[in-house]
Amino acid sequence: MFYRRLNFNICFNLSLLLAAAMLLINFVSIGVAQRLLIRNKATEGSLLIRAIEQRLQPSGSKASGNLLDALEALLQESDYTYAVIFDLNLIERFALGKTDVPHGEIVLAMKKALASRQPNTELMGATWGVLWRQKAVLMQSAPLYNDGILTAGVSIVFPLQQIYQQLRHSQMVFFLYILINLILLSFIGRHRFSRLTIDPLKKLLETTEANTEGRETLFLGGEKDGNEFNQLSNALNQMLNRISKDQENVKLSIHSLRQANLDLKKAQNDIISAEKLASVGRFSAGIAHEIGNPLAIIVGYLELLKRKDISPSEREDFITRTESEISRIHRIIRQLLDFSRPSSNTIGRISVHDILSDISTIFQYQPLMRHVELKLSLSAREDGVRADASLLRQAFINLAINAADAVNQAGKTGALVVETLNFPSNHANETHQWLEVTFTDNGIGIPADQLNFIFEPFYTSKAPGKGTGLGLSVCYMIIEAAGGRIEARSEEGIGTKMIIDLPVCNGE
């Protein structure tokens, strides 16, 4: 139904355009024909004036019955409806027929003709023409001569309504012709246009819809060669054949990309796990030493509890002290287990300040922090970010370990300062704030020529066996996965500052 309506509308609109063009041509033709008819009628009037002049020559300006009859016969043979003859004093001598032109205008036109001794043609009055208002009458005035001597003047009047009636009649015939053509062209053109355009388009659409459902379908068939739609159909068939052949390759490529993506993600997780295990190994050595002291204290208190000469108050004090040391061991081991536990890949809103506080507690028991003072300056009002808590903790621990190693390599008592602050976004389309976390140490620093390579895998400035070379590259991956960025600023012999910017998350 849609195609039929579209076909009819197109054909009808084309027919209307053709009819409009024909009407425009008709208006121009009517105007030209009207001017030609008036010009021909003026020529006929000039001949009528010459005939009147010849009839007047034998008798001059004296009228006779035969002369009036002859003049009336000449007027009737022409289409002119009125004729008047004046003497040189503009006195009317003969008047034949009737006219609506005022007598004064006829006299004025005659006066002009006699004064100039040249024929005078004027269009005057107003009436309804073919399509709009036109002049009503054609009036011609001319001097009359007898043997070369000016003797009189004549004015004749022709009503142009006769010409307009003829043109209106032909116009009605023309309008009827246009109407018939409009109807015939609409229906004949509809049939032809449907066969050449709409039907092929419909077939193309149906075939395209069938192909989207996965069926092997060819476009138009059986059309004559040279048809543009047939050429389009052949091109589309070739395209579909190529697409069909490439579909399996595309599927295989997508499968390979998915597998490569999974392998890449697994490799990243393995790298992060390897670096975490390396950090856990270093922590374990320090914690083993840290646990030894409270264990020795516990053993001593147990020996004292075996004695029978202690008072109940002393026994209660020894038990309390023993419980305190056991709680201390439990807390140390729990913190190590929390850090070594595999990441759950759970992303949510976490508190950066809580993570930094936990890290500060863990490092209290580490021998590598023996000559390093850890200071926290948590000034940020908004510290919530959207990230994996376990991975972000690992990134911060790696940065703290690197800072402690740099201070120890310098062979001096140093400090590690961890600071946080908030700052607004520099981009107009970002409305959230940023959280900046800085790790500043006064260690040996990083040479300027190596500063651009520190985030590459397996880069390390430590001695062999002292590091994996994955710490900073793992930090870079973790920070980038959280939507942040990391930057290093360092001066050799003075220290290093690691700057981490993370977008603040205010929601759940």
Side-chain angles (χ1 to χ4, degrees):
M1 187 64 184
F2 169 76
Y3 294 104
R4 292 179 181 177
R5 187 168 61 253
L6 175 64
N7 183 18
F8 180 78
N9 289 337
I10 293 176
C11 293
F12 184 72
N13 290 332
L14 290 176
S15 300
L16 285 179
L17 289 176
L18 180 59
M22 294 176 67
L23 284 175
L24 181 60
I25 295 173
N26 172 63
F27 293 155
V28 176
S29 301
I30 287 295
V32 173
Q34 178 176 304
R35 287 194 296 270
L36 289 176
L37 288 174
I38 294 176
R39 187 179 302 171
N40 290 338
K41 186 55 65 174
T43 303
E44 183 181 342
S46 298
L47 294 175
L48 177 60
I49 291 173
R50 298 283 78 81
I52 293 174
E53 185 180 41
Q54 292 176 1
R55 291 290 183 181
L56 290 176
Q57 283 183 0
S59 57
S61 59
K62 296 181 180 180
S64 66
N66 293 333
L67 179 59
L68 290 175
D69 293 339
L71 293 177
E72 188 173 0
L74 287 175
L75 194 64
Q76 289 178 355
E77 289 177 2
S78 67
D79 293 328
Y80 282 78
T81 60
Y82 182 73
V84 59
I85 298 175
F86 295 91
D87 59 15
L88 296 180
N89 295 322
L90 297 178
I91 298 174
E92 182 180 315
R93 296 299 183 181
F94 306 106
L96 302 174
K98 296 180 179 181
T99 183
D100 294 331
V101 180
H103 183 73
E105 293 185 6
I106 298 176
V107 173
L108 182 60
M110 189 71 255
K111 182 178 180 180
K112 292 179 181 178
L114 291 176
S116 63
R117 297 195 176 190
Q118 295 292 333
N120 179 32
T121 301
E122 295 183 15
L123 297 174
M124 58 182 58
T127 186
W128 185 257
V130 180
L131 300 173
W132 47 78
R133 301 288 288 181
Q134 298 285 351
K135 296 296 184 180
V137 295
L138 168 66
M139 186 173 69
Q140 293 174 272
S141 301
L144 298 177
Y145 294 88
N146 186 2
D147 294 332
I149 299 174
L150 180 62
T151 58
V154 63
S155 292
I156 57 177
V157 177
F158 173 77
L160 297 176
Q161 192 61 238
Q162 297 180 20
I163 294 177
Y164 300 148
Q165 288 177 354
Q166 295 175 6
L167 292 176
R168 281 197 291 267
H169 178 72
S170 62
Q171 189 73 5
M172 293 299 296
V173 175
F174 183 79
F175 284 154
L176 181 61
Y177 170 76
I178 290 180
L179 179 61
I180 294 174
N181 279 346
L182 181 62
I183 296 173
L184 291 177
L185 288 175
S186 296
F187 286 97
I188 295 175
R190 175 181 177 276
H191 174 73
R192 185 62 178 167
F193 189 78
S194 176
R195 182 179 177 185
L196 294 178
T197 306
I198 299 299
D199 290 345
L201 284 176
K202 184 178 179 181
K203 291 180 182 179
L204 285 175
L205 181 59
E206 292 175 350
T207 307
T208 304
E209 292 175 349
N211 185 262
T212 56
E213 296 174 359
R215 297 199 298 265
E216 291 291 337
T217 309
L218 295 180
F219 284 98
L220 305 178
E223 296 290 338
K224 295 181 180 179
D225 293 337
N227 188 309
E228 288 77 4
F229 283 100
N230 189 44
Q231 296 175 8
L232 176 61
S233 175
N234 293 333
L236 291 175
N237 286 333
Q238 295 176 7
M239 181 187 69
L240 282 180
N241 290 333
R242 289 195 297 268
I243 291 175
S244 298
K245 292 178 182 179
D246 293 341
Q247 279 181 347
E248 288 300 324
N249 294 332
V250 171
K251 291 180 181 178
L252 291 175
S253 299
I254 293 175
H255 178 73
S256 300
L257 289 174
R258 288 176 178 173
Q259 187 61 41
N261 187 40
L262 292 176
D263 294 341
L264 179 61
K265 189 173 182 179
K266 182 176 181 299
Q268 290 178 343
N269 292 334
D270 291 342
I271 291 175
I272 294 174
S273 299
E275 180 61 23
K276 178 180 285 188
L277 289 176
S279 300
V280 169
R282 296 190 64 178
F283 278 3
S284 298
I287 288 176
H289 177 270
E290 187 68 23
I291 291 177
N293 292 331
L295 284 177
I297 295 174
I298 291 172
V299 172
Y301 284 140
L302 291 177
E303 291 293 333
L304 292 174
L305 289 173
K306 292 179 181 179
R307 294 175 56 180
K308 298 181 179 180
D309 57 346
I310 60 176
S311 64
S313 59
E314 290 177 331
R315 182 182 300 274
E316 184 68 25
D317 181 56
F318 293 156
I319 293 175
T320 302
R321 293 175 181 270
T322 302
E323 290 177 347
S324 176
E325 296 299 328
I326 293 175
S327 298
R328 179 184 176 189
I329 294 173
H330 174 72
R331 184 170 61 256
I332 294 172
I333 294 176
R334 180 178 56 79
Q335 290 173 345
L336 178 63
L337 290 176
D338 289 341
F339 174 64
S340 61
R341 185 177 295 112
S343 173
S344 61
N345 294 323
T346 301
I347 297 177
R349 185 179 185 277
I350 59 176
S351 172
V352 173
H353 288 175
D354 291 346
I355 294 177
L356 293 175
S357 298
D358 291 343
I359 293 174
S360 175
T361 303
I362 294 174
F363 273 82
Q364 291 177 2
Y365 312 121
Q366 295 302 315
L368 61 92
M369 299 296 293
R370 186 174 303 157
H371 302 294
V372 180
E373 181 183 3
L374 178 59
K375 299 179 181 179
L376 295 181
S377 178
L378 309 180
S379 303
R381 296 182 60 184
E382 300 289 342
D383 69 320
V385 299
R386 188 174 183 272
D388 185 325
S390 176
L391 295 181
L392 195 60
R393 179 182 287 105
Q394 180 179 346
F396 290 160
I397 287 177
N398 287 348
L399 294 177
I401 290 176
N402 285 343
D405 288 339
V407 172
N408 290 327
Q409 290 181 36
K412 60 183 179 180
T413 300
L416 170 61
V417 180
V418 181
E419 300 173 291
T420 64
L421 58 89
N422 294 122
F423 66 92
S425 173
N426 294 328
H427 299 284
N429 57 345
E430 292 182 355
T431 58
H432 58 75
Q433 285 188 318
W434 287 80
L435 173 67
E436 182 177 276
V437 184
T438 58
F439 289 76
T440 307
D441 66 72
N442 58 348
I444 60 173
I446 303 172
D449 58 345
Q450 299 182 22
L451 197 60
N452 294 329
F453 308 103
I454 60 175
F455 294 110
E456 295 182 1
F458 305 109
Y459 169 85
T460 181
S461 59
K462 300 176 183 178
K466 296 296 184 180
T468 62
L470 297 174
L472 288 179
S473 64
V474 167
C475 291
Y476 184 87
M477 286 190 296
I478 294 173
I479 299 301
E480 190 177 55
R485 49 185 179 259
I486 182 171
E487 177 188 0
R489 299 176 186 173
S490 181
E491 189 172 349
E492 192 172 8
I494 295 180
T496 302
K497 175 182 286 189
M498 305 299 295
I499 304 172
I500 301 98
D501 293 335
L502 295 169
V504 172
C505 176
N506 295 320
E508 291 293 334

